[in-house]
Amino acid sequence: MGGLTGISIGTVTQTQKIWRSFQALGEIAFAYSYSVILIEIQDTVRSPPSEAKTMKKATLISVAVTTLFYMLCGCFGYAAFGDMSPGNLLTGFGFYNPYWLLDIANVAIVIHLVGAYQVYCQPLFAFIEKAAAQRFPDSEFISRGIKIPIPGSRSYSLNLFRLVWRTCFVILTTVISMLLPFFNDVVGLLGALGFWPLTVYFPVEMYIAQKKIPKWSTRWLCLQILSAACLIITIAAAAGSIAGVVVDLKSVKPFNTSY
């Protein structure tokens, strides 16, 4: 069933094991990528109490629950299946019973990702639309809103540029995801790329500037060591995930969902 050091050498080579270990770091980092939208969420929180207090409590609870949930899945999965533990505990063995459980899981995933997709994309949507409006201030396609009457409510203002750009973005990301039918490697890569700059470096630098922490003080050094350590983890995780993607691309079949 394996041991505490993970999958056995022989099942994979020593090099493959190193790359997979690095990739796992990226997958763990992906679970904590929520920091990208913390500021967006805080901007909508009502006060009193202050937004900072509300977000501090919400962040503490969410990190604790997320950590507990993922640790349980990871530890129980490996304890039960050892070296053969799949990336998807429900269907990774090619066993699709009971169907009702898989249906419930798939519905939960759809509900979760549809909402998360909308929230995570808002900063990107806002950035592109603001930049386009500044670049082409006289364009009616970008700035004009078409009034659509809604019975029993006020009319809805439809912006054609927003409709076309967001629709094309969703189509493009969907096609790319269908072309890359391997999940763990891509998740690890995305987690690695977003972890250090957005989850560690940016918040640490904001905290240092806000608290006016003196340079070369003990607290400043500790924060910089933390940031440097996470940067190393990010580089290692990205390297492992890229190696996994390269291996997968050798046998990939576009639009194949059997991975």
Side-chain angles (χ1 to χ4, degrees):
M1 297 300 292
L4 292 177
T5 56
I7 192 168
S8 304
I9 300 297
T11 306
V12 295
T13 66
Q14 189 170 6
T15 303
Q16 288 175 326
K17 181 170 181 176
I18 293 174
W19 288 132
R20 290 189 180 188
S21 299
F22 288 163
Q23 176 193 326
L25 293 175
E27 293 176 11
I28 294 172
F30 184 80
Y32 297 94
S33 59
Y34 66 90
S35 60
V36 178
I37 59 169
L38 276 182
I39 298 176
E40 299 291 330
I41 296 174
Q42 182 168 328
D43 197 39
T44 65
V45 175
R46 296 180 180 179
S47 60
S50 69
E51 297 91 338
K53 288 184 178 179
T54 302
M55 290 302 296
K56 190 173 183 178
K57 183 178 179 180
T59 302
L60 177 63
I61 295 174
S62 62
V63 169
V65 172
T66 300
T67 302
L68 176 64
F69 180 76
Y70 279 104
M71 287 296 290
L72 287 176
C73 286
C75 294
F76 284 161
Y78 188 74
F81 306 115
D83 288 356
M84 301 304 294
S85 180
N88 187 332
L89 289 177
L90 291 178
T91 61
F93 298 101
F95 181 72
Y96 299 97
N97 287 321
Y99 286 105
W100 61 267
L101 178 61
L102 298 182
D103 290 339
I104 292 175
N106 287 329
V107 169
I109 291 172
V110 170
I111 294 173
H112 166 66
L113 291 184
V114 166
Y117 189 88
Q118 300 299 321
V119 176
Y120 268 80
C121 287
Q122 288 307 314
L124 175 63
F125 289 158
F127 173 76
I128 296 296
E129 290 159 11
K130 182 179 179 181
Q134 292 175 346
R135 182 73 181 273
F136 307 101
D138 300 326
S139 173
E140 291 189 0
F141 175 71
I142 294 177
S143 59
R144 183 185 174 187
I146 301 175
K147 299 293 183 180
I148 300 178
I150 299 177
S153 180
R154 60 181 182 179
S155 60
Y156 175 75
S157 180
L158 176 65
N159 183 279
L160 290 178
F161 171 72
R162 182 180 299 175
L163 174 64
V164 172
W165 136 247
R166 296 190 181 192
T167 301
C168 291
F169 178 83
V170 172
I171 293 174
L172 177 63
T173 54
T174 302
V175 171
I176 292 175
S177 66
M178 293 170 71
L179 286 170
L180 302 175
F182 33 89
F183 182 72
N184 288 358
D185 296 328
V186 175
V187 166
L189 181 59
L190 294 176
L193 294 178
F195 177 64
W196 179 74
L198 298 175
T199 306
V200 181
Y201 176 77
F202 184 53
V204 165
E205 292 301 316
M206 285 202 327
Y207 179 78
I208 291 174
Q210 182 189 38
K211 298 297 183 180
K212 297 181 173 60
I213 299 175
K215 204 171 186 179
W216 304 112
S217 64
T218 302
R219 181 181 293 185
W220 186 89
L221 285 173
C222 290
L223 289 171
Q224 295 301 330
I225 291 172
L226 171 65
S227 181
C230 290
L231 174 60
I232 294 172
I233 292 174
T234 293
I235 294 173
S241 298
I242 291 173
V245 169
V246 170
V247 172
D248 288 335
L249 286 174
K250 295 179 181 178
S251 58
V252 67
K253 295 179 181 178
F255 303 104
N256 187 343
T257 59
S258 62
Y259 286 79

